Each structure stands twice: as C-alpha cells, then as structure tokens.
Amino acid sequence: MPLPALLRLAFVVLLALRYRLKLILGIVVAVVIGLSLTFISGKIYQHLDRDPDRGAIALEDGAFGESYSTPIYLDQGWSPADTLWYYNTTQGSALLPYDLFVALEQPASEELFRSDHNMDRYRYLPQKPTFFNPDGLPVGFAKDSYQGKDYLGFTCAACHTGQVNYQGQAIRIDGGPALADMDGFLHGLEKALSAARDIPAKRERFIDRVLQRDNDYRSPEAVEADLAQWTEQIRMYNTINHSHIRYGYGRLDAFGRIYNRVLRHVVNREQMRDLLLAAEGPTGELLLTEAEVDRVLAGIEPTLIDDTAFTRIVSRLQSSDEGLPGLSQRNLLRLRNQLLNEPNAPVSYPFLWDITHSDYLQWNGLANNADLGPLGRNVGEVIGVFAKLDWEVKEPGFSLSGHLTGQSNKRERIAFTSSIDLVNLQRLEAHLGRLTSPQWPEDILGEINREQAALGKRLYAQHCQSCHQIIDRSAWDRLVVAEMTDIEILKTDPKAAENSVNYQGKSGNFENTYQNTTVGPLVLEATAPAVQILTSVTKGAVSTPDADKGPLRRTLDWFYVLGLSWFDNDVKYSVKAGDYRPDTTARPYHSLLAYKGRSLNGIWATAPYLHNGSVPTLYDLLLPAREEGDPEEGAYRPEAFQVGSREFDPVKVGFRTEGYEGFTQTTHRLGDRNTGHEYGTDTLTEAERWALVEYLKTL
C-alpha cells in the first residue's frame, strides 16, 4: 500500500480511537459525577431533621402505669440529625398501605390505632411530628413509597432502639434492643383491620378518613377492596407464624419468620400440590382429597406464588364453601408444619453498636460480616419485615441474579424485583459505624462503686474475658471477634441454633442449582435446608438493582452500593473463633450449632439476658439455673418473671420484674429455658457476684 494511503488509514484509525476514548472517558466521567451527586445529596439529606429532642416526647400514664419525662440521650457518637435519620430511613418495608394505617381505629374504640398510648402498649416509642416524620409515627415506623404508592414500613430503629426509665426520667438508647411486642402488634393490627372491615360505622369512618387524605385512593370501592385484601394478608401472616411459644416483650423469632416468608415465595404450584395431597391429620388420615386440592390451587400460577396468591390459598383451605376443605385452625397448623416451620425459638433483639466492626453476626454466627456480607444480611432482614417481593418469571437468558443463584440453565428463571432499598441499606450500615455503646449515666442511675468494680474487673478476667473481649468502644480500628461455643458446651437453650440448621422447605426453581459453602459446592435438592434457600434469595436480591427508579439511576445506584459495600468494609474473611463443631461435607452447617460470646460494652442497657431473654438481670445471670433434683431452697435464676416495664433496676441491673401485670416469662419450655452459661456461678461468693455486676456497669 502506498505511503499516503497508509497515512490516511492511520489517521482514520486514530480518529476512531480518539472518538472511542472520548466516549469511554465520557461514560466514566458521567458515572463518577452521578455517583458523587448521589453521595453528596444523600449526605445533605441526612442532616435536614435537627429537632433537639430527636422527636422524643414525654408520656403520662403509659402502659403498666408508667409516666416519664422527655427522654434524654447519652453520648453515643450521633447528633440529633443522625438519630432522626436512623429512625426514619426506609429499607423498602411495606407492611400495609400508608393511608390505611394512619386512618385505622382501634378495634374497640374510635381512638386511632397509631395513637401514642396504643403504640406504647406494644412498647414502641412514641414520637412527635418532625421533618422526616410529619405524622408523628413511633420510632421505627416510616412512610415508604414504592411503584407510585405509599406504604407503612418498619425501619431498623423499630427493633433496635431501647429506652430505660428511672424515677420518671427516660433515657433513649440508640441501637439498643427494643422492648417491642411485634407479634402482639401484628395481631392487634389484624383485629383493628377486621373491625374496620366488618363493623359498618367503623368502616364508614375509616373510608372517610382515607379519602380525606387525597393521596392513593379516589373511591370508597378502592378503599374497601384494599381493606379486604390487606386484612386477609395480615391474617394469613399471623396464621402461618403461629407458635406455641409466646414471645412477649423484647423477643422475636426473626429467623423463623424470615424462613417462612422466603419459603412460601419460593415453593411452586407443583410442589405445593404434592404437599397438600400428602398432608396428614393426627391419626395419619389425609387432610385433603385430590378434588379439594385442585379447587384450592385453581388459578394459581405454576412457578411463583406471591403474597396475594398465598393468602388466597390459606383462605380457601379454611373455607367451607362447596368443594373446599374447611380445615380447622389445628389442622391448618399441621399443614403449615409440613410446608413451612413453626417459629418457636424467640431471641432478644441484638444491640447494634459495634456490628460494623464485628467478624460474625447473629446469635449463632450465621452471618459472615466480610465483603458484601452486611448487604446480604440486611437484605434478609428487610425480607423479614415485609419487603414487597414482586418476583417475576422470565424466559431463559443471562442475568446477573440468574447466574449468581444458579438459574442460568433453567427453563425459566426468577427475577428478584422487590421494594428492597439497597442504597439505604448501605447507608444505614455505614451510619452504624459511628454509633458507640452507651456509658452508665452515674448522675441518673447512681455512682459506680470503684472499689467493688476493681475486684469485679479481676473476676471478669478470670471467668468472662476469654469469651467476652474488652474493647475500646470508640476506637475506629476496633475488631470485635465472636467467640463461638457449641450448644453442648454452653448448655443454653438450643432451639434457635437447632432450627437454623434443621429447618427445611421446598426449593422451587432453585432445585438442582449449585451453591458454594465453606466446605465446597452443594446442590439444592427439592427439599433443602431453609438456610440454603435464604442464601439464594439474598444473592438474587443483592444482584438486582432497585426496581423503583429509572434505568440510568438504578444502574448508578447499584454500582454505588456494591462499590461502597465492598471497599468501605474493613472486616476481612476469617475462620470463626471458639469451641464448636466444624462444618464438614456431610454436615455443612454444623458450626451453626453454637452461640457467640461478644464484647459486653453497654451490656447494662440491654436486659433481659441470654440469647432468648430468659434471665431478667445481670445479677440473676450470675446465679445457677435450678435443675431437676436441686433443693428448693437456694439462690437460683428466676423461673418466672414479669416483662414489659421499662423501669430500671440499677442494683441488679435490668428491668423491673414484679409489681405490675406485664407478660409472664416462664423458663420451663424448650425455647424459653434459662439454663447454661453458668461459668463461675458455683464458685462465686455473694460479694463477688455484686463486684462483677459493679464492673459490668463500667463497660
């Protein structure tokens, strides 16, 4: 080729490369600018609500006769704006249409269900209206908009904000365990919705209130239709999560309920049909005929069963209309136990300070906190608190979620469209990185006896520190190591750990997909461990950009979330510490049969104690549990005590346990037991117990 022609060709190539480089550079600049604007706008927004009281209010004549002044806040590293952003930042939770909730009356009166005193009765914390919370909802309740409609949802703060009262003075504990009765709240909500649906005068007032809001509803018919639908949906949720173990205040079997919510979305119609046909009554008789099963499943889609469809199935199972089985509540629960699992292992809500500095989380160390672990953990939590799971059946073809969940070679794949807000989940996790534990307020709860505490410190080093490390509460580089102890060694109530390993469900479209574990890849069978199915679902949700945004915004936000989640996490993968059964190829989840010991800074503000809240005070924890054959006379942990009061006992360190009609916590049943963790209780003198309690106040 002549030289001029070569020069022209080279010039054309250079122009093309220049154009391509400009295009690539333009895209990179646009992404960087987009991510920067997202970050900056988010930071500005976080500081728009600066109420000096952080929205807290005084309450007169609250539950159990308690009154308290406007709560004060201890120094935990957060400003008023930080606290209010945490209280009101949505995760994608959609418990109920927002207009229905704010208009709802209590079942036996015209007082609103959301009134301060009613919310206080369930031990949710009342708030006044502020910028982020114009309707004055309690701590942890927020408006969440999804697909053009407003919903009431739970935020992290609903379960992880505490309060202690002492002689009329309230102290809010950010990140502390709530004393909430979530199960009682949801049953109360069901009764209130049923009353609004069934009592004409209530229904008329309810419809008027909803329409006056001039928000998501335009006609009485639309309000009535949604009222009927959501009443049945809440009823269905309460029915399938019924447990013979009563939770009471400050406890919830969160994992049992998350498992159930995932399993009922994963099961397909064919698997559901097989289960219904095989369901047996108490004497081995079949509960349903083939004709009844076909009527129950009429019109149900083959691959996915969403909330509406599952609600329809449960309603049909209970209906006595022509051709339907009319199952009793007892037989319905028998059927539940063959499809799902009884959530019968309530645990205390954990405190949140130090979680971003911890290697493993959850009571049994289920959640590895390295890399994208926090995002997966938080996605699972939002699924449990009513994220709308608008999963879709797609044709075969590549998608990131399909690839990560092993569905690439399936005839159909599930796309994990949902209301989960990945951006806010990442921001909330980062926000918690600045939260520190509360320190004992001597000006309110009394001075610490430093001489006793010094003796207690020596005893702590001897009896406690091998599992409960001492950390600098405010050190930015602190690492909290979970010391796992096998349930056979620890001997605390084993039910929560056992359920995490033993609970199973139908795997639906995940059948015969592969999943990596610490001992190698596993195949999900038709009936698989619930923990495997939850892992697949969380992978799918994490790899799915937020559905409620435009294409460019959702893509930029998704890269922003994954980038910050990965690079902003200083926790690296490590093998679990402690004394526990290792995972093996035959038993890949054996290490979960253990509970973790953790740093005890701020432990004074987290009663009741042990993982299942079965011991009311720190002093009681230093006593042995009474076993069969022990003499009746002696110092033992309480076998029954009252729960619900926020009045603090600064001597034994815990909440008031008598003198009021709260929830009676008993300790004789599996799931409620107060046994185990008796290190040193047989050798400590009474004076040494009190010295240890005094030292624990200083942490």
Side-chain angles (χ1 to χ4, degrees), residues 422-436:
L422 296 177
V423 171
N424 280 354
L425 290 182
Q426 192 283 324
R427 286 175 172 164
L428 284 161
E429 187 74 12
H431 196 68
L432 288 167
R434 293 188 288 107
L435 180 68
T436 57

Side-chain angles (χ1 to χ4, degrees), residues 387-558:
K388 280 189 71 65
L389 305 180
D390 292 333
W391 296 353
E392 302 172 278
V393 178
K394 298 284 190 179
E395 294 295 322
F398 178 80
S399 75
L400 183 59
S401 64
H403 173 72
L404 293 177
T405 57
Q407 298 183 87
S408 297
N409 296 322
K410 289 285 185 177
R411 286 175 294 177
E412 295 178 324
R413 64 179 175 84
I414 295 174
F416 297 89
T417 306
S418 75
S419 64
I420 297 170
D421 193 323
L422 296 177
V423 171
N424 280 354
L425 290 182
Q426 192 283 324
R427 286 175 172 164
L428 284 161
E429 187 74 12
H431 196 68
L432 288 167
R434 293 188 288 107
L435 180 68
T436 57
S437 57
Q439 293 182 295
W440 180 273
E442 294 188 74
D443 56 330
I444 300 174
L445 300 181
E447 294 184 359
I448 295 172
N449 185 317
R450 300 295 167 178
E451 184 178 345
Q452 266 194 322
L455 171 60
K457 182 176 182 178
R458 296 194 294 273
L459 293 167
Y460 187 92
Q462 178 183 351
H463 295 287
C464 314
Q465 198 163 333
S466 61
C467 289
H468 302 287
Q469 69 182 117
I470 301 295
I471 65 170
D472 181 344
R473 61 186 285 275
S474 59
W476 65 268
D477 61 345
R478 64 191 184 276
L479 178 64
V480 182
V481 178
E483 286 287 337
M484 306 305 301
T485 303
D486 191 285
I487 55 176
E488 294 296 330
I489 299 171
L490 193 60
K491 298 192 182 304
T492 53
D493 190 292
K495 194 62 176 169
E498 290 173 346
N499 287 358
S500 71
V501 175
N502 297 332
Y503 274 1
Q504 297 182 322
K506 294 300 181 183
S507 59
N509 212 51
F510 298 126
E511 183 179 354
N512 294 332
T513 60
Y514 292 90
Q515 188 175 109
N516 289 324
T517 72
T518 57
V519 296
L522 299 176
V523 175
L524 275 71
E525 301 180 35
T527 299
V531 66
Q532 282 186 345
I533 299 171
L534 175 60
T535 299
S536 290
V537 168
T538 55
K539 283 183 178 179
V542 167
S543 56
T544 302
D546 292 347
D548 207 23
K549 297 171 183 173
L552 179 60
R553 171 75 184 280
R554 78 173 64 137
T555 302
L556 291 175
D557 279 358
W558 187 74

Side-chain angles (χ1 to χ4, degrees), residues 45 49 54-55 83-104 112-145 150-161 172 178-190 193 234 252 349 381 385-386 428 646:
Y45 184 73
D49 199 341
R54 311 190 194 206
T83 292
L84 286 165
W85 184 83
Y86 166 72
Y87 286 176
N88 299 292
T89 294
T90 64
Q91 311 175 85
S93 173
L95 171 65
L96 191 72
Y98 190 79
D99 293 342
L100 303 192
F101 181 76
V102 297
L104 189 64
L112 290 178
F113 187 79
R114 63 186 175 98
S115 72
D116 290 342
H117 281 83
N118 195 47
M119 291 295 99
D120 178 67
R121 188 163 64 90
Y122 298 114
R123 303 277 80 174
Y124 289 108
L125 298 165
Q127 292 281 93
K128 65 184 176 184
T130 63
F131 179 81
F132 285 146
N133 181 21
D135 289 310
L137 300 177
V139 169
F141 288 67
K143 180 192 291 184
D144 201 332
S145 297
D150 292 336
Y151 292 91
L152 173 82
F154 287 109
T155 76
C156 298
C159 300
H160 303 288
T161 305
R172 284 277 171 90
L179 204 56
D181 177 11
M182 186 175 181
D183 186 60
F185 167 80
L186 290 171
H187 279 88
L189 182 62
E190 178 192 337
L193 288 167
I234 298 295
L252 186 72
Y349 300 109
E381 177 261 331
V385 291
F386 309 103
L428 284 161
R646 294 197 183 100

Side-chain angles (χ1 to χ4, degrees), residues 105-108 190-200 202-203:
E105 293 178 353
Q106 295 178 38
E190 178 192 337
K191 291 176 182 176
L193 288 167
S194 297
R197 178 193 61 185
D198 299 336
I199 301 174
K202 276 187 172 294
R203 184 168 63 250

Side-chain angles (χ1 to χ4, degrees), residues 202-218:
K202 276 187 172 294
R203 184 168 63 250
E204 185 176 341
R205 289 193 299 271
F206 175 77
I207 291 171
D208 286 344
R209 283 199 193 97
V210 171
L211 293 178
Q212 285 170 14
R213 292 183 57 79
D214 192 25
N215 188 31
D216 286 338
Y217 294 92
R218 295 290 177 267

Side-chain angles (χ1 to χ4, degrees), residues 574-652:
S574 61
V575 175
K576 290 179 183 177
D579 189 357
Y580 56 90
R581 283 169 271 189
D583 295 329
T584 67
T585 52
R587 298 183 182 277
Y589 303 107
H590 234 192
S591 65
L592 299 182
L593 294 173
Y595 294 121
K596 71 173 183 178
R598 55 187 180 172
S599 173
L600 299 183
N601 51 313
I603 195 67
W604 66 270
T606 66
Y609 298 101
L610 290 185
H611 75 276
N612 61 345
S614 59
V615 179
T617 71
L618 286 177
Y619 173 80
D620 292 319
L621 188 61
L622 300 177
L623 298 173
R626 184 172 178 271
E627 301 279 7
E628 187 175 352
D630 286 343
E632 290 191 14
E633 295 184 0
Y636 302 108
R637 295 172 183 172
E639 295 180 319
F641 55 94
Q642 294 296 301
V643 182
S645 173
R646 294 197 183 100
E647 186 65 23
F648 195 69
D649 179 350
V651 179
K652 289 187 173 182

